[in-house]
Amino acid sequence: MIELRNVSFTYAGSNRRVLQNLSLEIARGESVGIIGPTGSGKSTLCYLFNGLIPHHFSGKFQGEVLVSERNVMKETIESMSQIVGYMLQEPSLQIASPFVESEITFGMENFAVPVDKMDKRLNEIIAELGLEHLRYRATADLSEGEKQKVVLASILAMDPSILVLDESSSMVDSTSKNDLVKILTALKKQQRTLIIIDHDLDFLAKIVDRVILINNGSIIIDGATDSVLTNNRLLIKNGLIPPIFPDLFDIFQEKKLLDDPLPLSLESARKIVQKWLP
Amino acid sequence: MNYITVDRVVFSYRRNETLFDGLSVAFSLGEQVAIIGRNGSGKTTLVKLIAGMLRPQRGRILINNETITRKSIAEIATQVGFVFQNPNFMLFTNSVEKELALSLQHFKLSKQEVKERIDETLAFFDLTNYRLTNPRTLSRGEKQKVALATVLIQDPKAIILDEPFSGIDMSQKLMILQYIQKLKQQDKLIILITHSLDLLLTACTKIVALQNGQIAYDLPLKEFFADLTHLLKIGLEPTDYLSFITFLRKKGLQKDAIEKEEIIAFLLECALK
Ligand SMILES: Nc1ncnc2c1ncn2[C@@H]1O[C@H](COP(=O)(O)OP(=O)(O)OP(=O)(O)O)[C@@H](O)[C@H]1O
Ligand SMILES: Nc1ncnc2c1ncn2[C@@H]1O[C@H](COP(=O)(O)OP(=O)(O)OP(=O)(O)O)[C@@H](O)[C@H]1O
Ligand SMILES: [Mg+2]
Ligand SMILES: [Mg+2]
């Protein structure tokens, strides 16, 4: 469904190759987390999925990008946005409408969704994200976290078959973050393709099945979430801190006090303690 | 002694909808305070009022015992350093180096001193390679680091950080926290606004919790987290780390143990039993 073949990219005006000969495949319905230190190329990589590179960011591009059998080079950003819902890391740049309600329906209107269907979807999404109190507000007057949620709502409203979220949870409070986990998990069950960049590895661990670690524009590892996010050595070597439970229990594995694999979820961490103290 | 005093402040953005209806809170030098609350609870608004970017409709704000009513934003900024939630609003020039030099402008330093401070700061933030780069072409996390650096380079007596970690990877977040800890020894005031509850556990000693434009709690950090109903009452769900601690408390963990090292020590006891 998404295929990158030997992709390299250098931003115009820079002499550093930000993506270095990347190849990867993401199948329909997969949920993939993209992680890596600050400046490693995560956002740049995702710009390929809806044609922001090369259509918006100019530079030196090599390789081939196929999304839903389309060659992204030959498409426009508009045509790609029919398939790919994309949340930029700077959501304020993405707000197109003066009011929250019209912002959420903006995309649907562009895709000529019938009015009754649009209203239904609007109400659903507002309820799911808990945005009732913001419905009639001006988008310019929102708090940063509120903005992030409204942009997310406008993207989810379009029911994209591929969803790319770049740090969509960085400004939302802990309660909304849990809501987000529920919403994304539900989308996963509907076989949507999810590509999520997030520095919060604990958040990612709850959603995605596969994790790709990027550093200096290259793929360091690409594997199952359980194995990548508990690979403390590799994460640290690449400038990252392991998620909370692998980090807490690391020393127990080292001291051979742990028969089980390193826990990644709250549930598995509890189970280990229960075994120690029944 | 209070360094920043917010005294019965009334503020609303819109008519008929008061956000702060007589809000009072005070911050002293030597404190590390976290302000927490749901999205839209008024954290950034409070910071903008202290920075003089918004003015109260009633009540007053004092910095170092002087009212800020007639002070300009620039004057206030010499007494309190602000890092705002959106780094794009803080970046003005066409190179990282100029950005830092600009923030040292009013310090009357020699050319050599300016250069030294910039070198040091770039090295600390791992930005040396970006010295001549246009901040607009940086990644989000790099921008956030530059925004932070422009304030921290001034070595302010008091500093207010509004979600300073967003977009920055965890290991660099911890590095910035260490920097904050370093400030701690110099009797400064640090006010940190963040949704990363796990991080503030190590960085702060006091919690101010905002809800519906009111101060719901103003408590020492350990007291606040000794009881998770405090968090729930302001509408915030605990992180997995906090839920885990609550679970361990039922197994005998001390109520005031919240730092990673304390938790590991307790787990070791459990494992060896
Ligand atoms: N428009 C641009 N022009 C030139 N260089 C750029 C541009 N955008 C990003 N870069 C550089 O490319 C590298 C990768 O940036 P990218 O935004 O992909 O990183 P990232 O992994 O998303 O980082 P973050 O975690 O901070 O969001 C960075 O070193 C950055 O400075
Ligand atoms: N310029 C504005 N005009 C009108 N209302 C505003 C404006 N800025 C913020 N608000 C509203 O005031 C309330 C408080 O906003 P504020 O930005 O202080 O929240 P916050 O606690 O910082 O939230 P977040 O965690 O999302 O950053 C919110 O309901 C917000 O929508
Ligand atoms: Mg990025
Ligand atoms: Mg805010």
Side-chain angles (χ1 to χ4, degrees):
Chain A
M1 144 139 288
I2 294 179
E3 205 181 332
L4 260 58
R5 289 192 203 125
N6 307 100
V7 173
S8 296
F9 185 71
T10 307
Y11 281 102
S14 154
N15 49 20
R16 199 160 60 92
R17 274 218 303 187
V18 174
L19 299 179
Q20 318 220 35
N21 201 23
L22 291 183
S23 296
L24 69 92
E25 273 175 42
I26 297 173
R28 188 191 157 86
E30 264 198 293
S31 54
V32 184
I34 295 181
I35 65 172
T38 302
S40 54
K42 304 179 295 297
S43 297
T44 308
L45 167 64
C46 290
Y47 293 154
L48 299 168
F49 300 145
N50 71 340
L52 279 170
I53 289 180
H55 303 305
H56 178 79
F57 292 99
S58 48
K60 198 165 147 250
F61 177 88
Q62 283 168 319
E64 208 176 2
V65 182
L66 297 170
V67 175
S68 281
E69 277 99 54
R70 303 181 196 202
N71 184 335
V72 174
M73 302 303 114
K74 297 187 181 128
E75 301 285 327
T76 60
I77 296 178
E78 287 67 37
S79 67
M80 289 310 296
S81 70
Q82 303 260 1
I83 318 167
V84 183
Y86 197 103
M87 180 158 173
L88 293 169
Q89 201 167 1
E90 310 262 10
S92 26
L93 300 178
Q94 230 169 332
I95 290 182
S97 210
F99 294 100
V100 170
E101 209 182 72
S102 52
E103 176 63 33
I104 299 175
T105 53
F106 184 81
M108 291 192 279
E109 271 162 17
N110 277 352
F111 294 169
V113 176
V115 173
D116 53 336
K117 214 179 143 199
M118 193 160 79
D119 279 347
K120 184 166 164 278
R121 189 70 190 122
L122 173 70
N123 290 327
E124 270 171 16
I125 208 82
I126 281 183
E128 271 180 54
L129 282 161
L131 300 176
E132 291 87 353
H133 63 296
L134 301 176
R135 185 166 183 155
Y136 303 109
R137 290 273 308 276
T139 44
D141 296 349
L142 299 173
S143 81
E144 292 295 321
E146 290 167 345
K147 260 181 218 163
Q148 217 165 19
K149 289 186 246 183
V150 167
V151 169
L152 187 65
S154 64
I155 294 165
L156 292 177
M158 291 184 277
D159 289 318
S161 58
I162 300 173
L163 190 60
V164 182
L165 304 178
D166 193 348
E167 291 287 338
S168 59
S169 78
S170 65
M171 302 274 185
V172 305
D173 62 51
S174 58
T175 308
S176 298
K177 215 167 194 171
N178 287 342
D179 293 342
L180 210 55
V181 171
K182 283 178 212 138
I183 293 170
L184 296 174
T185 312
L187 289 177
K188 198 173 117 178
K189 293 214 177 89
Q190 297 167 21
Q191 291 300 303
R192 304 295 173 75
T193 307
L194 302 181
I195 298 171
I196 308 178
I197 304 179
D198 216 293
H199 285 299
D200 184 344
L201 305 188
D202 294 289
F203 170 75
L204 274 184
K206 291 180 189 159
I207 305 165
V208 300
D209 296 330
R210 171 178 166 195
V211 172
I212 300 175
L213 166 58
I214 308 270
N215 202 358
N216 287 322
S218 301
I219 295 177
I220 305 296
I221 190 174
D222 175 351
T225 302
D226 293 346
S227 74
V228 177
L229 292 186
T230 56
N231 192 338
N232 293 353
R233 303 290 159 275
L234 189 70
L235 294 172
I236 292 167
K237 196 173 148 218
N238 286 282
L240 298 176
I241 305 277
I244 198 86
F245 296 115
D247 193 29
L248 272 182
F249 284 83
D250 188 73
I251 178 167
F252 297 88
Q253 198 172 52
E254 213 171 90
K255 288 187 189 273
K256 309 233 176 324
L257 290 167
L258 203 63
D259 310 325
D260 309 81
L262 278 174
L264 188 55
S265 67
L266 175 61
E267 218 28 63
S268 43
R270 274 192 189 139
K271 275 195 188 127
I272 291 173
V273 179
Q274 295 284 19
K275 265 197 212 165
W276 288 336
L277 293 182
Chain B
M1 203 190 56
N2 294 342
Y3 188 72
I4 299 176
T5 309
V6 176
D7 183 23
R8 287 163 292 174
V9 162
V10 174
F11 179 81
S12 51
Y13 283 108
R14 288 173 301 273
R15 258 193 298 165
N16 320 327
E17 229 187 280
T18 310
L19 179 59
F20 297 142
D21 191 12
L23 185 101
S24 297
V25 63
F27 306 99
S28 310
L29 292 180
E31 282 187 325
Q32 300 90 49
V33 189
I35 302 182
I36 61 172
R38 290 215 62 178
N39 292 129
S41 56
K43 303 178 297 295
T44 299
T45 307
L46 179 59
V47 178
K48 287 184 176 167
L49 285 162
I50 296 171
M53 296 161 74
L54 296 170
R55 300 289 176 173
Q57 278 118 20
R58 280 222 308 269
R60 31 172 224 162
I61 294 170
L62 309 173
I63 295 178
N64 208 7
N65 284 326
E66 283 174 352
T67 167
I68 62 166
T69 314
R70 259 163 256 102
K71 287 194 176 165
S72 68
I73 295 176
E75 276 173 277
I76 296 170
T78 62
Q79 292 182 294
V80 182
F82 295 91
V83 177
F84 288 100
Q85 207 165 357
N86 192 333
N88 291 319
F89 298 150
M90 296 183 63
L91 305 172
F92 312 102
T93 66
N94 63 7
S95 84
V96 171
E97 180 176 40
K98 282 188 201 154
E99 210 62 56
L100 293 176
L102 184 68
S103 55
L104 289 177
Q105 222 174 22
H106 58 271
F107 280 93
K108 303 195 181 71
L109 298 173
S110 73
K111 258 197 172 149
Q112 185 56 30
E113 281 169 315
V114 169
K115 189 185 170 299
E116 277 168 20
R117 271 223 219 172
I118 291 179
D119 288 348
E120 213 176 282
T121 307
L122 288 174
F124 175 80
F125 282 93
D126 200 8
L127 289 168
T128 307
N129 289 337
Y130 297 104
R131 187 173 200 121
L132 301 175
T133 305
N134 187 330
R136 271 189 298 276
T137 69
L138 292 174
S139 81
R140 177 62 168 72
E142 290 163 349
K143 273 185 203 163
Q144 185 74 44
K145 288 200 290 176
V146 175
L148 262 161
T150 60
V151 175
L152 294 180
I153 197 174
Q154 303 178 43
D155 200 17
K157 201 172 187 64
I159 179 167
I160 305 187
L161 307 152
D162 192 355
E163 207 63 70
F165 301 134
S166 68
I168 300 181
D169 67 60
M170 185 61 83
S171 91
Q172 302 198 25
K173 282 179 192 168
L174 292 176
M175 180 190 78
I176 296 162
L177 274 183
Q178 269 171 17
Y179 195 98
I180 297 178
Q181 313 281 32
K182 218 173 73 191
L183 292 176
K184 189 149 95 178
Q185 290 153 23
Q186 304 162 30
D187 203 36
K188 308 209 173 186
L189 165 61
I190 298 146
I191 300 175
L192 172 65
I193 297 176
T194 180
H195 291 297
S196 310
L197 300 174
D198 294 350
L199 273 174
L200 60 83
L201 294 176
T202 46
C204 298
T205 54
K206 185 176 154 183
I207 298 283
V208 169
L210 270 180
Q211 189 189 25
N212 299 329
Q214 290 188 322
I215 307 284
Y217 296 100
D218 184 345
L219 287 176
L221 180 115
K222 296 214 163 179
E223 203 173 313
F224 182 85
F225 284 107
D227 186 352
L228 283 194
T229 57
H230 292 151
L231 258 190
L232 294 171
K233 276 199 183 135
I234 58 165
L236 290 179
E237 291 174 9
T239 59
D240 284 351
Y241 181 68
L242 289 168
S243 301
F244 188 57
I245 290 178
T246 313
F247 162 79
L248 292 181
R249 282 181 188 155
K250 291 186 200 123
K251 303 269 172 200
L253 177 74
Q254 297 275 317
K255 267 212 160 179
D256 63 350
I258 40 179
E259 287 194 26
K260 192 179 130 191
E261 290 69 30
E262 298 171 301
I263 305 305
I264 291 179
F266 176 78
L267 288 173
L268 262 174
E269 267 175 51
C270 298
L272 297 171
K273 248 180 210 164

